[in-house]
Amino acid sequence: MDELTSRVRAFAEERDWQQFHTPKNLAMALAGEVGELIAEFQWLTPEHSAVVMSDPNAGSRVKAEMGDVMIYLTRLADVLGVDLIEAALTKLEDSARRYPVDQAHGSAVKR
């Protein structure tokens, strides 16, 4: 994660893009990229979406959009000083408390 963060930061600095990388702009760009990822799945059946990576063209597009999402999320975390690994682990621990296995197993009920 540290290497990716450093490389994304350097990419922005080399192009003097820090001035545009406000949290608001990065969050909006991230939302746009998530939208592009969603668009790759929009009209697929649930079955086709589960095997999308087996289609070389569709799989390549999905992978590229996931890369864009990861880059923008990484940059946003860097600008805000958020440790993404720590944030994810904390959220996972919180979710484990909210959804204990004995109550949540096999259920999609939101708590």
Side-chain angles (χ1 to χ4, degrees):
M1 194 74 229
D2 290 339
E3 180 183 351
L4 177 60
T5 299
S6 294
R7 289 182 64 180
V8 172
R9 182 186 307 132
F11 185 90
E13 288 173 352
E14 290 164 357
R15 289 154 182 82
D16 193 27
W17 286 353
Q18 313 90 297
Q19 61 186 315
F20 309 115
H21 286 186
T22 65
K24 177 198 75 75
N25 287 351
L26 290 167
M28 291 176 70
L30 175 60
E33 294 301 336
V34 169
E36 290 180 21
L37 176 60
I38 291 168
E40 292 298 329
F41 290 90
Q42 186 171 6
W43 303 114
L44 301 182
T45 65
E47 297 78 19
H48 190 207
S49 71
V51 297
V52 71
M53 298 309 290
S54 65
D55 177 326
N57 292 326
S60 177
R61 291 191 309 270
V62 166
K63 186 175 179 180
E65 295 306 338
M66 290 176 75
D68 286 339
V69 168
M70 185 69 170
I71 288 167
Y72 276 112
L73 182 59
T74 299
R75 185 69 179 131
L76 178 59
D78 186 33
V79 167
L80 291 175
V82 173
D83 180 326
L84 277 177
I85 301 299
E86 179 186 336
L89 291 174
T90 299
K91 183 64 180 181
L92 189 58
E93 290 171 7
D94 179 56
S95 294
R97 281 189 295 278
R98 289 179 56 210
Y99 300 98
V101 173
D102 64 330
Q103 296 175 22
H105 189 265
S107 172
V109 175
K110 184 91 172 158
R111 298 178 194 265

